Amino acid sequence: MIKAIDVTGEFIKKEMNFEIEKGSKTVFIFEKEEQGNEFLKIITGIKNPEKGEIIFMGKNLKETTRDNLFKLRKKTGIVFKTGGLISNLKAWENLILPALYHKLDDEEKIIKKGIELLRKLEFKKEPMSSVAELTNFEKRIIGIARAVLMNPEIIILEYPLYGLEESKKKWLIEKIQELAGSNTLLYILDSERESLLIEKADLIKYAEN
C-alpha cells in the first residue's frame, strides 16, 4: 500500500525504507514533532522528499499527476494532531462537508452516518458548536469521525494520543480500531511509551537523526 525507498527530508536525515501492507496497523515513532509532521506530508504527497521515493497505492508520488494525487487523497483519511478543523466552520460542518463535496453517498446517508459516528465517539457538545468552543480532545474526535466518514482505504493519525490522560488513550485507541475495521491504520507518535498502540502494531519503525 505504501512503500518508501531511501527517503530523507529536511528534518528526517536517516534514510527510511519500509513497506506498509494493506489492512495492517503500523506505528512510526519520531524523536521530534517536526519529523513526524514532515513524514506525514511526504507520504501523502504534500511535500517531496529531499531524496528517495514514495510509492502510494501503486503510484510513485514524484511522477503522478495532480489528478491522480487528488484521487489518492480521496482514499486517505488524515487526522491531524489538533484535528485539522477549519475554524470558521461549525463542528458538524467540518465533519460532513468533505464527504458531501466528494459525493461519497447521498446526503441523507452521509448525515445519518455522521450522527452515528458522533454517537459512537461519545461527542457530547452541540454538533453546531464553533471550533473555538471545542477542547483539543473534541477537535480530535471530530477529525477522526471526518476521516472515517470519508470511507478511506488508509487512515493516518498524527500524534492522536498527545496530551490525553491514560484512560482516554485506551478508550480512543479502541474506538479508532473499532471504527476503522479492516482498513489500514498508520500512527505517527513521538514516544515509545505508548505501549497500548505498540502492542497492537504489525510494524514499528523508528526515525532517528
Side-chain angles (χ1 to χ4, degrees):
M1 175 160 273
I2 304 178
K3 184 176 182 179
I5 305 167
D6 299 333
V7 168
T8 65
E10 180 184 358
F11 302 107
I12 300 169
K13 299 304 181 184
K14 185 175 180 181
E15 289 181 357
M16 296 192 72
N17 289 276
F18 60 83
E19 188 162 1
I20 297 171
E21 300 291 339
K22 186 174 182 179
S24 65
K25 296 174 178 62
T26 304
V27 171
F28 284 84
I29 300 172
F30 293 88
E31 293 179 343
K32 299 175 183 177
E33 185 173 330
E34 57 261 34
Q35 292 175 322
N37 183 259
E38 180 178 50
F39 174 74
L40 171 60
K41 292 176 181 177
I42 288 174
I43 62 171
T44 54
I46 297 171
K47 180 178 182 179
N48 286 327
E50 289 195 349
K51 191 181 105 175
E53 297 179 334
I54 294 288
I55 313 299
F56 194 104
M57 298 187 193
K59 304 288 185 183
N60 187 319
L61 294 188
K62 276 188 176 179
E63 300 173 357
T64 193
T65 64
R66 288 186 67 182
D67 284 347
N68 279 335
L69 190 58
F70 180 73
K71 290 175 183 176
L72 290 174
R73 287 180 183 158
K74 282 176 65 177
K75 300 176 182 180
T76 308
I78 301 175
V79 183
F80 295 96
K81 178 180 174 181
T82 57
L85 307 185
I86 299 172
S87 60
N88 64 340
L89 296 180
K90 305 296 185 183
W92 176 251
E93 294 168 334
N94 269 284
L95 170 58
I96 67 165
L97 286 182
L100 291 173
Y101 174 78
H102 291 293
K103 299 179 180 177
L104 298 181
D105 211 328
D106 65 64
E107 185 173 348
E108 185 178 347
K109 288 181 179 178
I110 289 172
I111 290 172
K112 184 177 179 181
K113 186 176 179 181
I115 292 170
E116 180 65 12
L117 283 169
L118 291 185
R119 185 190 67 77
K120 287 182 176 179
L121 287 165
E122 299 178 22
F123 184 77
K124 295 180 172 61
K125 283 267 178 73
E126 165 59 44
M128 289 305 288
S129 297
S130 69
V131 170
E133 295 176 76
L134 305 181
T135 65
N136 285 335
F137 180 67
E138 289 165 340
K139 290 174 185 177
R140 219 166 294 168
I141 290 294
I142 295 294
I144 291 166
R146 178 177 61 185
V148 173
L149 189 60
M150 290 293 290
N151 195 28
E153 293 186 28
I154 181 170
I155 300 176
I156 304 171
L157 301 107
E158 179 191 38
Y159 306 115
L161 307 180
Y162 178 81
L164 300 184
E165 300 170 1
E166 289 301 318
S167 59
K168 281 189 175 180
K169 288 180 182 181
K170 183 177 181 181
W171 177 87
L172 190 61
I173 291 167
E174 290 174 352
K175 287 295 180 183
I176 290 169
Q177 301 198 150
E178 172 193 333
L179 294 173
S182 60
N183 287 344
T184 309
L185 284 171
L186 191 159
Y187 296 95
I188 298 172
L189 304 180
D190 61 355
S191 170
E192 58 183 294
R193 292 174 296 179
E194 309 299 355
S195 58
L196 290 169
L197 273 175
I198 291 172
E199 288 168 6
K200 297 174 183 292
D202 299 307
L203 175 68
I204 303 167
K205 295 289 289 183
Y206 295 84
E208 302 173 290
N209 283 326

